[in-house]
Amino acid sequence: MTRVLIVEDERALLRALAMNLTARGYEVTEAETGTRALSAAAAVEHDLILLDLGLPDLSGFDVIRGVRAYAQTPIVVVSARTGSSDKVAALDLGADDYVTKPFNIDELLARLRAAVRRAATPDIVDVVQVGTCTVDLGAKTVTTANGAAVHLTPTEWHLLEALVRRPGKLVTGRALLTELRGTPEHTDPSYLRIYVAQLRRKLEPEPSRPRHLITEPGMGYRFHP
Amino acid sequence: MTRVLIVEDERALLRALAMNLTARGYEVTEAETGTRALSAAAAVEHDLILLDLGLPDLSGFDVIRGVRAYAQTPIVVVSARTGSSDKVAALDLGADDYVTKPFNIDELLARLRAAVRRAATPDIVDVVQVGTCTVDLGAKTVTTANGAAVHLTPTEWHLLEALVRRPGKLVTGRALLTELRGTPEHTDPSYLRIYVAQLRRKLEPEPSRPRHLITEPGMGYRFHP
DNA sequence: GCTGGTCCTCACGGATTCGTCACGCCCGGC
DNA sequence: GCCGGGCGTGACGAATCCGTGAGGACCAGC
């Protein structure tokens, strides 16, 4: 199931696109303003963002920047502006494609498919072992050694994913915070510690002596497989 | 250096594109037919393929299929055909973008940049050998010969990076100090020695007889690969 | 309105790291 | 031979950072 976020202030077009994509099996989230788009993008991980440049509050460029600050989600821009300077700006800011209105729906769909296909990671490591626990990133489930299910809150999931997706790599505290919240910074770094501790309590065999969710003092955290 | 393969049978356009891209620092290979394009793509690994659909021998679709059979090189199609069916077919066969003639050169260049950027591996693996130890600057890990992990403090990392990023070059003590702390100077230069010593103790086979973290008396330090 | 769950702040004890001091060594100059 | 400057090493307070517990704010469901 491909999750796509549609950002479009023109209501009629938004509904038409949403219905069209839903009918084709996409899971659609809608946003009519730039701020809502950013919060929606930060709340749920999407596989694709369909973005109209003309928004009432923020510039579409700001949305691109805001998303690219922490995620590589494919962004396909749909805009009435046909000037090449707008296209160049959007593409160089990190957009993946640029379609001008009016567009042919079949072409747009093909471009969406291409964007999603490109972003598909060839190495889908969905199941990871964390000590005695099994983490299924696709199904969003954690099961302990004896088969019991472990419940994780959304924040805990985001944190665990951010660490597990980069096995062995050090992830700095700021990077984790920007991944947890859309806002880049201005947050107490001490608040990471709580969720790391909770994850350890739920996943590590010896929470006081962590072997997989390792802290690097002064630098960040690291997932050790 | 980005290597791009231009496939275009219209000679004037081919030369114009080639000159334009060469002037911008791309390394250009030219092909005027589909068969030459396929052999050129197979001979050398390219970072990007700029493909005209209208070729004298093969169909451009065949070229896409032929390349996609074994490689994921980004393919940007340039075509005079504006029909949506052609776009859909090319994109679904594996093309990454589709630009119709006549095109704006700035837009085309932006789309090429976007295609190359997407294909770039996100994790720049810069791995350096320091004697028997392996230093992964991206993951911030140091592993010794037998695979054991070595722990480095933030200051040690900064110092090691500052030296390793300039292999063979002499780095003056002041430069190292300014890199370690934001403050430019007014620091005891003797304080470098402690961290250099600690790095040697952790990385060098014989810390008392350093072979890679070399001190140049009266001047600074040097990393010898 | 109540309840359960989640998010986030605050404060405190402990561990890690930082930066300085002191001391011994090597080497070139006198 | 003597000496002084630069360098390597060990040790020690102090500052910083981390783990943990408690507790209030907020939201959804009943």
Side-chain angles (χ1 to χ4, degrees), chain A residues 154-169:
Chain A
T155 314
E156 290 164 8
W157 260 113
H158 281 135
L159 181 58
L160 182 62
E161 278 198 48
L163 288 170
V164 161
R165 289 214 187 275
R166 307 165 178 81
K169 268 193 159 183

Side-chain angles (χ1 to χ4, degrees), chain B residues 20-44:
Chain B
N20 219 315
L21 290 178
T22 305
R24 279 175 173 77
Y26 291 81
E27 190 180 326
V28 172
T29 312
E30 306 180 7
E32 295 186 29
T33 68
T35 49
R36 293 195 183 181
L38 285 176
S39 59
V44 185

